[in-house]
Amino acid sequence: MARPRKPLLSRDRIVEAAGALVDAEGLEAVSTRRLAAALGVSGPSLYNHFRTKDEILDAVADAVSARVDLSMFEPAAGRGWRDALHDWAHSYRDALSDHPNIVPVLARGPGRRPAGLRLADAVFGAMTAAGWPPAQATRIGALMRYFILGSAVGSFAGGFVDDEAAYDPSDYPHLGQAHLLAEHRREVDDGAFDTGLAALLDGLALQYEALTARSPGAAVAAPGPWEPDPDPDQRA
């Protein structure tokens, strides 16, 4: 039997093509017509693999989540919770920085996406294993996600134009060097991320010290991750 001239259509091929469109042109570029044309197939054939455009975008988002390293949370890694969060945050940001246009989909939460759920499970599990109360572990996962996703949405340095005349000192007396920011975009944005991450982890470390001073070495296991702490005095 002669081999087909084109590769058979698959979920992976659709996700790859959709991801390329999102990266190049944004979320609105993804449509059945555009994807079918890119894949060399008829539009209806896509529905054998995905029911809706949203399902396709969810799969693209999950493919990005799957690139985030979670090995630092494994018990065998022997990492403390702070070091693990630090390394995970950088891995997560790196994945998003390569695909910033998909961030709005990721910001909706993991939903039923397997890689997104594994990510949330790994963070929550590592925090509770370290002794954080479940409710606080949930908050830590949430605040880290807010911070990382926010850092990938845009660029502070890139928000200023390379035009000294745009920042008249009579109007903006403290922005005399703002026109130089775009030239140092990566340095400014990476430095801001590192500064913010250190501040978050330093603050959490202080809370953890207070928590362990009250309950040395004991993880609170009673409530689930979305339930309030049973005793307000246990909150870090």
Side-chain angles (χ1 to χ4, degrees), residues 50-223:
F50 294 98
R51 293 176 299 177
T52 65
K53 170 183 171 178
D54 284 343
E55 281 193 1
I56 295 173
L57 292 177
D58 268 349
V60 172
D62 213 38
V64 173
S65 294
R67 298 184 180 123
V68 180
D69 183 13
L70 299 176
S71 63
M72 67 287 293
F73 293 121
E74 295 173 1
R79 307 298 302 278
W81 67 267
R82 176 178 174 142
D83 287 342
L85 278 183
H86 175 276
D87 292 352
W88 166 72
H90 275 279
S91 178
Y92 199 176
R93 180 176 180 249
D94 288 345
L96 298 185
S97 294
D98 291 337
H99 308 280
N101 290 339
I102 199 64
V103 170
V105 179
L106 286 164
R108 300 172 192 163
R112 297 177 182 273
R113 299 193 295 267
L117 290 169
R118 283 193 293 271
L119 189 154
D121 182 73
V123 175
F124 179 77
M127 295 305 101
T128 53
W132 287 100
Q136 186 67 351
T138 299
R139 299 182 193 113
I140 291 170
L143 78 87
M144 293 296 293
R145 197 169 69 88
Y146 299 154
F147 174 66
I148 297 165
L149 291 176
S151 75
V153 168
S155 164
F156 177 80
F160 293 87
V161 298
D162 184 14
D163 180 4
E164 186 175 5
Y167 307 106
D168 189 320
S170 64
D171 294 323
Y172 314 107
H174 305 296
L175 296 181
Q177 302 297 307
H179 65 287
L180 301 176
L181 287 173
E183 183 181 342
H184 302 281
R185 176 172 177 165
R186 184 64 181 266
E187 178 184 354
V188 172
D189 292 344
D190 286 355
F193 182 80
D194 288 338
T195 299
L197 181 58
L200 281 176
L201 296 178
D202 285 347
L204 289 174
L206 291 175
Q207 294 184 29
Y208 190 74
E209 288 177 9
L211 170 69
T212 54
R214 291 194 299 270
S215 305
V220 180

Side-chain angles (χ1 to χ4, degrees), residues 15 22 28 43 74 134 170 213 216 229:
V15 171
V22 172
E28 296 305 316
E74 295 173 1
S170 64
D229 294 327

